[in-house]
Amino acid sequence: MRTAAVAKYLLHCAALSELDHAFQVAGIRYAVFKGAHIREWIYRDPTLRDPADVDVLIAAEDNDSAISALMDAGFEPQPDSATVSHELIMLRRGIEIDLHWHIVRPGRLRTDITADLLSRRQRMANIWTLAPSDAALIMLLHPAFTKYVSSPSMRLVRVHDFLLVVRDQPIDWNAVATQLERCGTRGAGWAVLKWFQLLHPLAHEVPGEFEQRLRPGVLRRAYIHWWLERDLPTRLHAWPLIVQFGFTLALHDTPQDAVRALVGIFKARRSGRNHRFMAVANTDG
């Protein structure tokens, strides 16, 4: 297994080196985030952190150019009607690059923060990655809606990642809270943080004022905590619509935010099959 992990890491590095060169030639700004960034950032031996895929963030206006560049490098698009509104999997010989032009489904956030994240990107291990505080933001925001906070798809290594960040990294937690407020997702950040705290005491070492800024009102806080204590995202995992409507809508900060998210879900489901990227796999690039 150790040899396989090292081999996979080297394949990822080679693919990212190609991507970095191709995107620089094409003038495409990008940032690697989630597991492929975290392993370089906080692990002394990055081969120990095996991401399921390589997540890359780009601006929406660059998605055609980015897809073409990766297809020229031999990657094949694998469009999924459920997620093509904001991401596209590119696959080559078992190496999966998940190309994102929105962090989560459009409508989930009050404002699109992609440009902000790309404006603060940093160079690390010969690739562009998110800034540290932005990476911490993604740790609290992304799994709230894509993994339902604590469902079986939320790998425990993500908890370990967060604990290492809390212990070892100088995060601007005030900036993280400000971004969550801008997005209308303080409740989402609080829910993920609360789940981390239920699993390990080290997660309580985030600044108290940070948690206070994220904390929802009494009723919503009790409702979210009720879901987490009873592990309902796991117990109801076979019925995702129940979790989406019964749980994730409560992670938005206002009724208006929840309605906007609901509209985004319906719009994406209605248009996904007819999205122009659904045909891209049948093109020659």
Side-chain angles (χ1 to χ4, degrees), residues 245-259:
F245 292 101
F247 181 51
T248 67
L249 287 181
L251 304 181
H252 293 278
D253 291 346
T254 68
Q256 292 86 349
D257 291 325
V259 169

Side-chain angles (χ1 to χ4, degrees), residues 42-225:
I42 60 177
Y43 285 80
R44 292 183 179 179
D45 181 353
T47 65
L48 295 177
R49 174 62 163 89
D50 179 17
D53 50 34
V54 175
D55 292 279
V56 177
L57 180 67
I58 59 171
E61 59 266 25
D62 288 333
N63 52 24
D64 286 302
S65 299
I67 292 167
S68 295
L70 289 175
M71 290 179 71
D72 289 343
F75 286 87
E76 297 182 359
Q78 308 290 316
D80 182 345
S81 62
T83 58
V84 74
S85 62
H86 55 288
E87 62 184 85
L88 179 67
I89 292 172
M90 303 293 292
L91 191 64
R92 185 184 71 184
R93 297 190 295 274
I95 300 301
E96 181 178 315
I97 293 178
D98 201 350
L99 202 60
H100 299 251
W101 45 94
H102 296 287
I103 290 297
V104 290
R105 190 188 307 281
R108 278 291 189 185
L109 307 185
R110 192 179 291 169
T111 183
D112 184 6
I113 60 173
T114 302
D116 281 350
L117 297 179
L118 291 175
S119 72
R120 292 187 292 270
R121 65 185 184 148
Q122 298 181 359
R123 195 75 174 167
M124 174 185 293
N126 297 316
I127 56 175
W128 288 102
T129 68
L130 293 185
S133 295
D134 289 331
L137 166 73
I138 298 303
M139 287 182 173
L140 293 174
L141 173 61
H142 192 267
F145 301 117
T146 63
K147 310 300 181 186
Y148 309 146
V149 180
S150 61
S151 75
S153 59
M154 177 64 162
R155 298 166 65 201
L156 285 177
V157 70
R158 293 170 179 260
V159 184
H160 183 253
D161 294 341
F162 185 78
L163 297 177
L164 290 180
V165 168
V166 171
R167 189 190 68 182
D168 299 333
Q169 300 300 321
I171 299 299
D172 184 348
W173 293 106
N174 184 60
V176 175
T178 297
Q179 285 283 57
L180 288 167
E181 288 171 347
R182 285 185 59 218
C183 294
T185 53
R186 288 181 298 110
W190 181 85
V192 176
L193 176 61
K194 181 54 61 178
W195 187 61
F196 290 160
Q197 291 176 338
L198 288 172
L199 293 177
H200 199 283
L202 182 58
H204 287 276
E205 294 190 13
V206 298
E209 58 271 21
F210 172 72
E211 183 178 356
Q212 185 66 35
R213 283 183 66 178
L214 301 190
R215 188 175 298 169
V218 174
L219 291 179
R220 192 155 61 97
R221 186 165 72 244
Y223 182 72
I224 294 171
H225 202 269

